[in-house]
Amino acid sequence: MSGELFLSLFTAAGLGSILTVALQSWLESRGRKRERSFNEKKEAYVGLLDALRKVNIDATLANRKECGYWLARMRLIAPLPLVSAADAFASLSDGKTDAKSEFDALVQGMRSDLQGSM
């Protein structure tokens, strides 16, 4: 009987170790995916804000193309309401009076998305 008990305990301990390793691996993988997603979003959002700043200072063709590039990158990773806010702000013409509120909405959307990523 003691041999069966020893075998049962040994098997249970082995199964527990396997389950622990599998759970740790899954949690680490999930953490890496979240971190990668956060970094991708952060890079795209900072790039877009910088491109929008450059276009606001000097609306050259090169600056507009860079802004379009960052808008396209953002469309790949951002939620649809944030993409809409970015498109609305980027398409503003000079002298539009509600640009500040649209910019604030864009930044708030970015902030919320980044906080939800971590």
Side-chain angles (χ1 to χ4, degrees):
M1 207 43 133
S2 65
E4 291 176 8
L5 178 63
F6 177 75
L7 183 59
S8 296
L9 290 174
F10 182 74
T11 304
L15 182 59
S17 296
I18 291 171
L19 291 175
T20 300
V21 168
L23 180 62
Q24 286 176 338
S25 176
W26 178 76
L27 289 172
E28 287 174 8
S29 174
R30 183 175 162 207
R32 282 191 304 270
K33 285 179 184 178
R34 282 185 173 192
E35 184 177 353
R36 186 181 69 228
S37 174
F38 175 83
N39 288 333
E40 287 174 352
K41 288 179 179 187
K42 182 178 73 170
E43 182 181 349
Y45 297 164
V46 170
L48 177 61
L49 291 174
D50 187 49
L52 288 169
R53 180 189 61 81
K54 289 177 183 176
V55 166
N56 191 35
I57 293 169
D58 187 15
T60 64
L61 179 60
N63 286 345
R64 290 193 314 261
K65 284 183 178 183
E66 183 179 356
C67 189
Y69 166 78
W70 287 107
L71 279 168
R73 277 194 62 177
M74 189 181 137
R75 282 186 185 100
L76 293 173
I77 58 172
L80 289 178
L82 186 52
V83 171
S84 297
D87 288 340
F89 181 76
S91 67
L92 289 177
S93 58
D94 292 352
K96 183 139 180 172
T97 57
D98 61 349
K100 182 179 178 348
S101 64
E102 291 185 17
F103 179 76
D104 290 345
L106 173 62
V107 171
Q108 180 57 40
M110 289 176 176
R111 181 178 293 121
S112 296
D113 190 35
L114 288 173
Q115 287 174 347
S117 295
M118 285 305 280

